[in-house]
Amino acid sequence: MKTGTGKVIPYEYIPDEGSEIETVDGRQYLIANDAMYTFFKRTKGELSPFFLALRDEKRLLGCKCVECGLVRVPPFLTHCPDCNFASTKLLEVEQVGILNSTAPITYFATSLFQHMAPYGRGRVIFRGADTALSVNLYTTTGILVPGILNKGTEVKLIFRTNRIGEMTDVFCVPTSELSRDQVEKRGLEESEIDWESPVEPNVLDASAEDTSVYREALKEIKSIVEEMNRNDRARKDIAGWRRDIAVKARGGQFALIIDERGIRIEEKELSAPDFIMVSQDLRVLLDGLAYRGAITDSVINKRLWISKNPEFTTIFKLDRMARSVARSKKD
Amino acid sequence: MSKRVGIIGAAVTPFKGRWQEKTYYELAQWATREACKDAQVSIHDVESAFYGIYNDIFERTCIPEHAIHGLLGMQNKFGTRISTGGATGAYTMSAAHAYLAAGRFKTALVLGVEKATDCFDFASMSATPEVIKTIGWSGDSFFEQPIGWTASDSYAEVVLAYMDEHPGDLKPETTAEISAQLSRQVRTNPYAQRQFDQVTREEVMNSRLVVYPFRELEICVYSEGAAALILAEEETALAISRNTGKPVVWITGLGEANEHSFVGKNHKIMSRIMSDYYASRRAYEMAGIKDPTQSIQIVELHDAFVHQLEISMAEFGLVPPGRADALIDEGLMTPGGKYLVNPCGGLIYCGHAVGASNVMSAWSARNELLARGLHTALVHGTGSTIAQYTACLILEC
Ligand SMILES: [Zn+2]
């Protein structure tokens, strides 16, 4: 996502010049590092009022055909092809709408969008509009999972604090997660929303059997984590990463710490964890760490909940560590 | 009165995840050489060339066909390039047919070719994210590219909207079973990228969710490769057929439709693939097909995603809308069932070398018509954002 302050192409994406030989069936092939790049000073032309209204006035514009009255949001044309190209007029629509259909969620994004994943992208028909605007969708309740952004879900347009006149200036969250004042306010900014109070799932009371399942799983997790620590590939997967994670399950809770010393378990309650992981059954996490199915899948399938959406990256790193250990065993 | 047009030669290169050994020049020439050989014609007898190449960035050049025109021996002749996203190959066949049917040329080369995995992401040191990013430049540049449009999430929009309307259809077990079946069918396709990747329903269901509801083994794989057809108008086709001894496979119906790329009232209906509906109905009408469930025997369908395969079959009128799972539940596409669907393994297992894919599908449909003594096949290409584009062809033998 562009912020209006960085380089058009971040330096870290740019490879060095160079080439290498790849050998296939005994023959050598020359393979060169390369790029196609074109820089633009690109006009938003007739779409400029729409993007300027988002950026400068926190208003959402559409256009209305003077003949048929259809209101298109965004205002992507100046004349209505349905009415023999009758002219359209810009008008403002409301900032609450409903999802036209269930929105897909992208969990594994390319380098361009990794920082905003997992993200929903869906079509919202705002009050006063006849067509849908494609927007990013998020939740304040924790990790974004299927079931939150459904057909008919009412959503509110939220404005980024730093706006540059792009579609990334706005996104939507369900109105059910906001106060009535927030829903009614035009130009509501992301900073006005509480992102720090996700709805943590209740862990059910543990029976004696649950507790023993928990103790057994924890024991295995400890041993896997120690193995990860001894594995160079796995250590590389979390290089430079620091997280204090509170893990809660039926039967108990502990801290999963990732820092420059590696990854480790401490049987204590964290007062200010970076994020919280909750699963009714600790074996869900155990299976993932043991490379029996991806932890990311458990998150998507709601068997394991995390309190902060962007921490999906950390989950992905844990999967990578599990894979690294498994690969080392194979070698 | 327009002329009848038929396929008199066809060939594909192997589809591979990466062709370090070949540029698109050589892939294009390879498929063309083999197609000429199949038709037993000299390239000098081919009067026109129609190139299906999807993405300039994959070939790392704009007007990528200019370089291959001469090296195919087509210099000083008609050559044009078609690019319509995933439907590129099907639209290229449609264009070639139109010129021959109008009497402009007697013969045409249809050549689909694509590279993909020359693209490389140096951050993750792998090709796939850069391939996805490159396809991502195909989304709407003002409203959708900046917010993370991908081919997968845009097709997922359509599939999820269909599931909103038909919550009991597209069951995970069924989509997984279709994928498993395609993986068994691909075994007999020596040109396929995943010829020996047979998977079980359980393996599909346990594969990673990439974009909900698509699992890794329910998505077409990016390939590099080429596919070529030699088309001819009726008299020429029959003369060549007498020479080769291979029956002409006639293109008796064509239909195309591109939907609106924006959604809402009077715009795209998200839960439908109306492009599939209109294109198939237009093709049936041209071919004189009244009831496709009685006429269509082979379907070579562009399966970008298994879920979309099911919806497309419903839009073609081959299975009732909302009950697409009948493809498996009622055995409509299981072995010995009513329809032979993607005998080549489809794009999920044969591979998706975009510009070449639908041409490969036509190659497969022709092979199956000839080998099995069947009469009627439907070939399909889908593409662009939210399944916006479709081209369909009816092949008869
Ligand atoms: Zn109008």
Side-chain angles (χ1 to χ4, degrees):
Chain A
M1 187 174 80
K2 292 186 186 134
T3 57
T5 54
K7 283 284 179 194
V8 172
I9 301 175
Y11 283 123
E12 63 267 28
Y13 297 159
I14 303 173
D16 296 329
E17 289 184 351
S19 62
E20 64 199 46
I21 299 281
E22 279 186 36
T23 305
V24 181
D25 295 333
R27 285 175 193 250
Q28 294 191 326
Y29 300 95
L30 181 60
I31 291 167
N33 292 358
D34 197 7
M36 285 174 91
Y37 57 90
T38 303
F39 300 110
F40 295 84
K41 271 194 172 291
R42 191 182 190 211
T43 181
K44 290 209 169 33
E46 73 285 359
L47 307 173
S48 298
F50 171 80
F51 287 104
L52 287 171
L54 281 188
R55 188 187 77 174
D56 300 338
E57 299 164 2
K58 294 192 282 183
R59 292 163 72 224
L60 178 61
L61 299 186
C63 65
K64 182 175 185 169
C65 171
V66 297
E67 288 283 330
C68 68
L70 198 78
V71 176
R72 292 175 170 92
V73 176
F76 55 84
L77 46 71
T78 59
H79 293 76
C80 176
D82 300 347
C83 300
N84 204 19
F85 298 110
S87 62
T88 66
K89 284 199 170 108
L90 289 174
L91 84 176
E92 186 178 1
V93 296
E94 293 191 34
Q95 297 181 3
V96 171
I98 59 160
L99 268 171
N100 180 63
S101 53
T102 296
I105 302 167
T106 295
Y107 289 95
F108 305 98
T110 65
S111 56
L112 290 177
F113 305 108
Q114 245 157 30
H115 58 277
M116 54 188 242
Y119 58 88
R121 193 180 61 79
R123 315 259 168 176
V124 178
I125 301 198
F126 288 93
R127 271 185 216 147
D130 292 305
T131 72
L133 180 71
S134 189
V135 289
N136 282 135
L137 295 141
Y138 288 101
T139 177
T140 60
T141 60
I143 180 73
L144 186 57
V145 286
I148 296 173
L149 306 168
N150 300 320
K151 177 187 167 121
T153 299
E154 191 183 67
V155 297
K156 167 78 179 174
L157 191 69
I158 312 290
F159 290 80
R160 301 266 181 208
T161 306
N162 174 28
R163 295 184 301 280
I164 57 170
E166 294 279 357
M167 280 312 297
T168 45
D169 284 354
V170 292
F171 61 93
C172 284
V173 299
T175 54
S176 60
E177 299 176 12
L178 304 172
S179 70
R180 196 206 260 177
D181 287 348
Q182 286 175 321
V183 173
E184 280 171 7
K185 181 176 177 180
R186 289 207 176 190
L188 186 67
E189 289 195 17
E190 59 180 330
S191 56
E192 298 175 70
I193 300 179
D194 181 8
W195 296 95
E196 297 299 322
S197 315
V199 188
E200 195 176 311
N202 284 323
V203 177
L204 303 173
D205 291 336
S207 65
E209 195 192 329
D210 293 333
T211 307
S212 95
V213 165
Y214 171 88
R215 301 295 328 165
E216 195 54 41
L218 180 58
K219 206 171 106 191
E220 282 188 62
I221 287 175
K222 277 182 181 167
S223 114
I224 290 169
V225 161
E226 276 166 31
E227 196 176 1
M228 285 174 165
N229 262 332
R230 290 193 300 269
N231 185 292
D232 286 344
R233 280 187 195 174
R235 289 288 291 261
K236 218 175 255 174
D237 293 330
I238 48 164
W241 209 250
R242 294 185 66 110
R243 288 292 186 275
D244 292 351
I245 310 161
V247 182
K248 302 180 184 179
R250 206 184 308 170
Q253 62 172 292
F254 60 89
L256 185 66
I257 315 277
I258 299 172
D259 60 20
E260 64 283 351
R261 289 157 54 199
I263 179 167
R264 64 183 183 279
I265 305 286
E266 290 179 13
E267 287 199 63
K268 65 176 187 191
E269 209 170 309
L270 289 168
S271 55
D274 292 307
F275 72 100
I276 303 164
M277 214 185 259
V278 180
S279 179
Q280 296 301 333
D281 188 339
L282 188 58
R283 287 174 298 190
V284 171
L285 178 62
L286 168 64
D287 282 346
L289 294 173
Y291 202 54
R292 296 188 291 263
I295 315 175
T296 51
D297 254 24
S298 294
V299 172
I300 298 166
N301 288 324
K302 301 183 234 185
R303 293 192 298 266
L304 187 118
W305 178 87
I306 59 173
S307 59
K308 285 186 185 161
N309 195 54
E311 292 298 342
F312 193 78
T313 313
T314 305
I315 300 300
F316 187 60
K317 283 179 189 290
L318 292 173
D319 273 338
R320 294 287 288 266
M321 294 181 86
R323 193 180 67 174
S324 292
V325 170
R327 283 194 175 172
S328 298
K329 281 182 184 161
K330 232 178 166 181
D331 289 350
Chain B
M1 180 66 189
S2 69
K3 293 168 183 266
R4 285 223 291 173
V5 175
I7 303 171
I8 44 117
V12 298
T13 70
F15 279 25
K16 288 190 8 173
R18 174 110 171 98
W19 266 116
Q20 292 98 325
E21 308 95 305
K22 312 273 180 203
T23 69
Y24 78 95
Y25 291 12
E26 168 62 6
L27 289 171
Q29 204 201 49
W30 187 4
T32 303
R33 292 194 307 258
E34 294 300 320
C36 286
K37 211 183 281 175
D38 184 52
Q40 296 178 26
V41 298
S42 160
I43 193 67
H44 302 302
D45 298 327
V46 180
E47 296 178 349
S48 57
F50 295 80
Y51 301 107
I53 307 176
Y54 152 57
N55 192 319
D56 289 1
I57 308 173
F58 279 162
E59 272 58 53
R60 210 214 159 284
T61 181
C62 299
I63 51 168
E65 75 284 3
H66 84 271
I68 52 180
H69 197 60
L71 66 88
L72 300 186
M74 295 303 295
Q75 65 271 24
N76 306 324
K77 293 180 186 171
F78 173 101
T80 192
R81 179 241 182 143
I82 310 290
S83 177
T84 50
T88 293
Y91 255 104
T92 308
M93 295 185 279
S94 154
H97 174 277
Y99 276 84
L100 297 191
R104 286 286 311 280
F105 308 110
K106 287 185 165 39
T107 49
L109 166 70
V110 172
L111 186 275
V113 64
E114 208 80 53
K115 291 291 275 187
T117 49
D118 283 336
C119 298
F120 193 80
D121 174 35
F122 287 84
S124 65
M125 292 305 282
S126 63
T128 303
E130 202 68 0
V131 173
I132 293 166
K133 182 175 129 191
T134 302
I135 296 168
W137 300 125
S138 308
D140 179 295
S141 62
F142 293 104
F143 299 106
E144 300 199 312
Q145 278 181 22
I147 58 171
W149 181 98
T150 65
S152 293
D153 93 323
S154 101
Y155 270 71
E157 285 193 86
V158 176
V159 167
L160 289 168
Y162 177 93
M163 290 164 81
D164 288 336
E165 305 306 319
H166 308 289
D169 209 9
L170 313 189
K171 294 186 292 290
E173 311 83 68
T174 310
T175 56
E177 181 54 40
I178 290 174
S179 176
Q181 186 182 318
L182 293 172
S183 84
R184 293 190 289 272
Q185 291 174 184
V186 80
R187 259 196 101 87
T188 52
N189 179 359
Y191 298 91
Q193 182 173 335
R194 300 164 75 186
Q195 189 189 0
F196 301 111
D197 263 5
Q198 280 66 48
V199 298
T200 64
R201 189 176 76 170
E202 288 64 36
E203 283 172 316
V204 178
M205 291 182 78
N206 288 331
S207 67
R208 188 168 66 110
L209 275 164
V210 176
V211 172
Y212 180 81
F214 301 146
R215 295 189 174 277
E216 205 165 11
L217 292 173
E218 295 173 331
I219 303 177
C220 63
V221 286
Y222 301 115
S223 300
E224 301 189 330
L229 304 178
I230 308 290
L231 304 187
E233 59 76 37
E234 183 163 5
E235 276 179 37
T236 312
L238 289 171
I240 290 169
S241 168
R242 278 192 293 276
N243 190 37
T244 61
K246 284 178 203 147
V248 181
V249 171
W250 301 104
I251 302 172
T252 57
L254 295 113
E256 307 82 7
N258 296 357
E259 295 177 65
H260 211 301
S261 65
F262 286 88
V263 174
K265 187 180 171 190
N266 299 355
H267 293 64
K268 161 94 182 179
I269 306 163
M270 193 60 102
S271 59
R272 297 286 307 270
I273 306 181
M274 292 305 292
S275 54
D276 280 348
Y277 177 85
Y278 288 126
S280 59
R281 294 314 180 282
R282 287 165 189 166
Y284 297 154
E285 190 186 343
M286 183 173 163
I289 291 174
K290 299 262 181 315
D291 179 359
T293 66
Q294 295 305 310
S295 303
I296 304 293
Q297 297 166 308
I298 299 171
V299 183
E300 270 292 356
L301 183 154
H302 182 143
D303 50 347
F305 306 90
V306 175
H307 307 69
Q308 165 263 315
L309 175 155
E310 290 200 63
I311 300 171
S312 292
M313 287 293 283
E315 295 291 3
F316 298 157
L318 299 178
V319 65
R323 283 185 45 223
D325 282 352
L327 290 168
I328 293 295
D329 297 348
E330 292 170 26
L332 292 178
M333 67 169 278
T334 53
K338 189 169 189 175
Y339 310 117
L340 181 61
V341 180
N342 290 2
C344 68
L347 278 45
I348 298 175
Y349 289 92
C350 181
H352 188 21
V354 187
S357 293
N358 307 152
V359 184
M360 179 281 292
S361 298
W363 160 85
S364 169
R366 173 179 180 254
N367 289 347
E368 298 293 338
L369 286 168
L370 296 179
R372 295 173 190 255
L374 295 173
H375 303 296
T376 310
L378 169 63
V379 176
H380 161 253
T382 179
S384 189
T385 185
I386 47 179
Q388 188 190 357
Y389 294 0
T390 299
C392 286
L393 294 86
I394 303 297
L395 304 186
E396 291 188 72
C397 186

